[in-house]
């Protein structure tokens, strides 16, 4: 039972970080109806800036710089590439984001090389003991920070002018534009917010108990994609639920790998995608996604 509780707590904390990344997918989709595949490179960019700057300016200043850098990269992708891609199909724009991600990730992994970069976080390898359950302090901090950011975003989405503009754009972009909503500004801000969320997630994905930032860190962002899909690409609540489901599923499958040997090696890495497939077979719009009306 102690092992199960430990895995469950770790899964929830990792799932909260995945929820931050999934929220970035949702924000961009609601603002532009484009499925964004550049999240891996945004996450890697934010983590790389933090890792390189923390020896020079300290962790907190480096974290702020990494968040700002990822937000700027996201905004530049929208402003310089997607806004100028005169393509009507959202599917084609999604493919464009794949190309952008490949270019950015290739350059960033070239810069990282074979190194494993530490991010200089203040928590180190400290652990907390809750009875028989032992949890890394970074996992607890990740859960608290992710929960605070998600709640803050949900409140901003509901009560601020930016949130109203975002909801209006998601509901009917043409009508929103006629009512004075600047679609370009909404789209730009959505990409910037997604980049900032990716940088925060990168920080928690690369601290203890993981060794640090390396070439494979970008793959973590793609684990959040099933979270966004199974929760519903147009649902902020779905991003939270999907992230928690994926995090807990991955952690439990990896923790009980020896008991699940008959399923093959690496079942923990494949589990999020298996869950996504099952959910989509039962509910194509995701758990909280909006069903598309069908003419019968």
């Amino acid at each position: 039972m102690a092992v199960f509780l430990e895995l469950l707590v770790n899964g929830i904390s990792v799932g909260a970080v995945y929820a931050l990344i999934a929220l970035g997918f949702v924000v961009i989709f609601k603002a532009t109806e484009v499925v964004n595949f550049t999240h891996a490179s945004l996450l890697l960019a934010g983590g790389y800036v933090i890792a390189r700057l923390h020896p020079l300016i300290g962790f907190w200043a480096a974290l702020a710089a990494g968040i700002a850098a990822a937000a700027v990269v996201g905004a530049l992708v929208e402003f310089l590439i997607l806004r100028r891609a005169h393509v009507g199909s959202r599917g084609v724009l999604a493919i464009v984001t794949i190309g952008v991600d490949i270019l950015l990730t290739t350059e960033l992994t070239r810069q990282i090389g074979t190194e494993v970069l530490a991010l200089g976080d203040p928590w180190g390898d400290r652990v907390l003991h809750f009875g028989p359950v032992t949890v890394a302090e970074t996992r607890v901090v990740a859960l608290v920070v992710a929960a605070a950011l998600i709640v803050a975003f949900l409140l901003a989405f509901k009560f601020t002018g930016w949130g109203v503009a975002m909801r209006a754009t998601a509901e009917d972009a043409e009508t929103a534009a006629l009512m004075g909503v600047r679609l370009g500004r909404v789209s730009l801000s959505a990409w910037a917010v997604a980049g900032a969320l990716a940088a925060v997630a990168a920080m928690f994905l690369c601290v203890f108990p993981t060794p640090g930032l390396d070439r494979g860190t970008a793959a973590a962002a793609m684990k959040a994609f099933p979270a966004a899909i199974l929760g519903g690409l147009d649902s902020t609540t779905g991003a939270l639920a999907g992230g928690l489901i994926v995090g807990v599923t991955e952690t439990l499958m990896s923790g009980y790998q020896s008991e699940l040997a008959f399923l093959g090696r690496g079942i923990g890495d494949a589990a999020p995608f298996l869950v996504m497939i099952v959910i989509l077979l039962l509910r194509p719009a995701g758990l909280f996604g909006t069903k598309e009306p069908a003419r019968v």
Side-chain angles (χ1 to χ4, degrees):
M1 180 58 68
V3 173
F4 174 78
L5 291 175
E6 187 171 319
L7 291 173
L8 181 63
V9 172
N10 279 283
I12 292 174
S13 63
V14 172
V17 177
Y18 286 159
L20 286 179
I21 307 174
L23 189 58
F25 283 106
V26 171
V27 169
I28 291 176
F29 186 81
K30 288 178 76 70
T32 64
E33 295 186 346
V34 173
V35 180
N36 168 36
F37 290 98
T38 61
H39 245 57
S41 55
L42 295 179
L43 186 145
L44 200 60
Y48 180 76
V49 171
I50 297 171
R52 290 302 188 192
L53 290 184
H54 83 82
L56 304 176
I57 61 177
F59 171 75
W60 296 110
L63 176 60
I67 293 172
V72 169
V73 172
L76 288 176
V77 169
E78 192 279 338
F79 184 75
L80 297 178
I81 299 176
L82 296 185
R83 189 175 299 188
R84 285 158 175 73
H86 300 292
V87 178
S89 171
R90 304 301 183 189
V92 173
L93 289 177
I95 295 174
V96 171
T97 65
I98 295 176
V100 173
D101 180 72
I102 292 173
L103 291 174
L104 293 176
T105 302
T106 299
E107 176 58 26
L108 287 167
T109 53
R110 188 181 69 83
Q111 294 293 329
I112 295 172
T114 58
E115 296 181 83
V116 178
L117 305 177
L119 271 65
D121 65 285
W123 304 287
D125 58 356
R126 295 194 295 270
V127 297
L128 298 175
H129 300 277
F130 302 96
V133 178
T134 301
V135 183
E137 189 172 316
T138 53
R139 297 296 196 198
V140 177
V141 175
L143 179 59
V144 173
V145 171
L149 286 175
I150 291 170
V151 169
F153 176 82
L154 292 175
L155 292 175
F157 191 73
K158 187 174 182 179
F159 296 110
T160 67
W162 174 78
V164 173
M166 181 78 72
R167 283 186 287 140
T169 301
E171 184 69 25
D172 191 331
E174 292 183 1
T175 303
L178 291 174
M179 296 298 293
V181 175
R182 297 185 177 182
L183 301 184
R185 182 177 296 182
V186 171
S187 178
L188 188 72
S189 64
W191 278 83
V193 168
L197 292 173
V200 175
M203 186 268 292
F204 285 118
L205 288 174
C206 298
V207 295
F208 181 80
T210 57
L213 181 77
D214 58 21
R215 298 165 65 106
T217 300
M222 296 314 297
K223 292 182 182 178
F225 184 67
I229 293 296
L230 67 88
L233 268 175
D234 60 348
S235 172
T236 50
T237 304
L240 174 59
L244 294 177
I245 291 172
V246 167
V248 170
T249 301
E250 179 188 19
T251 304
L252 289 177
M253 288 292 191
S254 299
Y256 290 108
Q257 175 67 57
S258 58
E259 287 81 358
L260 300 172
F262 64 94
L263 295 176
R265 296 175 59 87
I267 185 60
D269 294 328
F273 298 93
L274 293 175
V275 173
M276 178 186 71
I277 292 172
V278 171
I279 294 296
L280 290 181
L281 289 175
L282 300 175
R283 188 177 174 86
L287 295 175
F288 296 90
T290 303
K291 292 184 178 180
E292 291 291 337
R295 186 182 300 274
V296 295

